[in-house]
Amino acid sequence: MAVAYERIADELRTAIRAGRLGPGERLPAETKLAERFGRSVPTVREALRALQDEGLLEKRHGVGNFVRCRRTLSRRTNLRHQWEKDRARAPLARRAQTGATEHDTGLHVEDLVFRARYREVAAPAGVAEVLGVPEGTALLERRYRTRCAVEHAPFSLVTSYLVRDMIAGNPALLDEREEPWPGGSQSQLYSVGIEVDRVEEHVTARPPTPEEADELELPPGTSVLVLRKVSYATDRRVVDVSDVVLPGDRTELVFTTPLERW
């Protein structure tokens, strides 16, 4: 038999899913809900906390409880890398039409807010090992945040590492003001004569750090997917290492494996 807070949560959950409580709508005060359900305020709070844990409600301290707005789903498929490569050498007009985020979300360029931050760093041990360079080698660290214009949280937290000397032949690649680069990273590498041959992606899941949970606006208990993308050139060099933190509540990973026919 359901306990009191579960019955309250069930009724509110049904109202949200049926649309009687719409996205962004503020719920009555906890005291009003307690009167409505004939229960104590602590019991109401327990029900609200359960719905917050499910990602249906968000509590804004000092303001109240609100129905959580549905976030844009990002559907990331491994076929995106060939799609990006096919566009790397395309004319500027075609490359500028759409990017990887638009490809993953179905949104348009004008729907997005994009931010890039560049800085030069000394290669830490783990990244240096993957890139095959000595620890302390000068790297260009690139941080990307892209969000839907009507939302506050980005789709992911991306940190990319390139060997600085490898790309220095094109000064535009060192300037964050050139972002967003039409055609993405593969087009950037093509501008210095590098062709990407293959991409490896390693995916794990873990609880978010407090900073990640805050920036991605994650409901309590939501995990993140951590993707390390390693890009190899045709000469077998590792030319890009990217760490991508994806919110588990609005990311779908799709892996398609073509099989050779008998």
Side-chain angles (χ1 to χ4, degrees):
M1 183 176 179
V3 296
Y5 87 89
E6 290 175 337
R7 290 196 292 271
I8 296 171
D10 283 343
E11 185 168 330
L12 292 173
R13 185 185 299 110
T14 299
I16 292 169
R17 290 177 174 168
R20 295 194 297 274
L21 288 171
E25 186 172 342
R26 181 179 177 180
L27 270 64
E30 294 172 354
T31 52
K32 294 293 185 183
L33 289 173
E35 292 175 8
R36 170 181 162 186
F37 290 107
R39 297 291 178 178
S40 67
V41 170
T43 299
V44 167
R45 286 177 179 162
E46 194 169 0
L48 296 176
R49 191 176 303 114
L51 297 177
Q52 290 162 14
D53 289 345
E54 293 173 24
L56 294 175
L57 294 180
E58 59 180 350
K59 184 177 182 64
R60 301 177 191 172
H61 294 288
V63 181
N65 292 282
F66 294 79
V67 178
R68 191 165 183 256
C69 293
R70 186 170 299 171
R71 303 297 174 82
T72 303
L73 175 69
S74 180
R75 187 173 187 266
R76 186 183 178 105
T77 168
N78 58 315
L79 299 180
R80 76 201 299 267
H81 306 304
Q82 184 62 54
W83 175 84
E84 186 177 358
K85 183 170 182 177
D86 290 342
R87 297 167 66 254
R89 298 181 296 169
L92 175 61
R94 181 187 166 202
R95 287 186 281 119
Q97 287 177 351
T98 186
T101 301
E102 298 93 294
H103 179 267
D104 293 348
T105 61
L107 298 173
H108 300 287
V109 174
E110 58 270 20
D111 298 326
L112 301 174
V113 176
F114 177 87
R115 178 165 58 91
R117 293 289 182 269
Y118 285 12
R119 66 172 182 160
E120 188 174 314
V121 299
V127 175
E129 181 179 3
V130 178
L131 284 167
V133 298
E135 186 176 347
T137 297
L139 304 182
L140 181 68
E141 179 190 84
R142 310 182 299 175
R143 292 179 177 266
Y144 297 112
R145 303 290 186 267
T146 306
R147 63 177 176 85
C148 179
V150 298
E151 299 174 3
H152 297 290
F155 295 111
S156 60
L157 311 178
V158 182
T159 306
S160 167
Y161 298 97
L162 305 174
V163 177
R164 189 189 187 284
D165 288 348
M166 181 187 72
I167 58 171
N170 182 357
L173 298 186
L174 304 174
D175 189 349
E176 66 185 34
R177 293 172 297 180
E178 297 290 337
E179 295 281 7
W181 188 282
S185 292
Q186 290 203 45
S187 184
Q188 289 175 314
L189 293 171
Y190 170 68
S191 74
V192 288
I194 295 173
E195 177 186 355
V196 175
D197 180 63
R198 78 180 196 275
V199 177
E200 290 183 0
E201 293 181 305
H202 306 258
V203 183
T204 56
R206 60 166 170 77
T209 65
E211 295 78 15
E212 290 166 347
D214 182 61
E215 189 169 0
L216 292 170
E217 296 183 359
L218 296 175
T222 303
S223 295
V224 292
L225 301 172
V226 182
L227 183 151
R228 167 157 282 190
K229 171 188 161 190
V230 182
S231 299
Y232 293 81
T234 52
D235 61 5
R236 300 184 180 180
R237 282 182 301 164
V238 173
V239 292
D240 184 11
V241 175
S242 295
D243 292 322
V244 185
V245 179
L246 300 154
D249 65 331
R250 50 190 184 274
T251 302
E252 179 184 9
L253 299 180
V254 180
F255 300 98
T256 302
T257 306
L259 301 178
E260 294 183 6
R261 294 188 180 184
W262 289 332

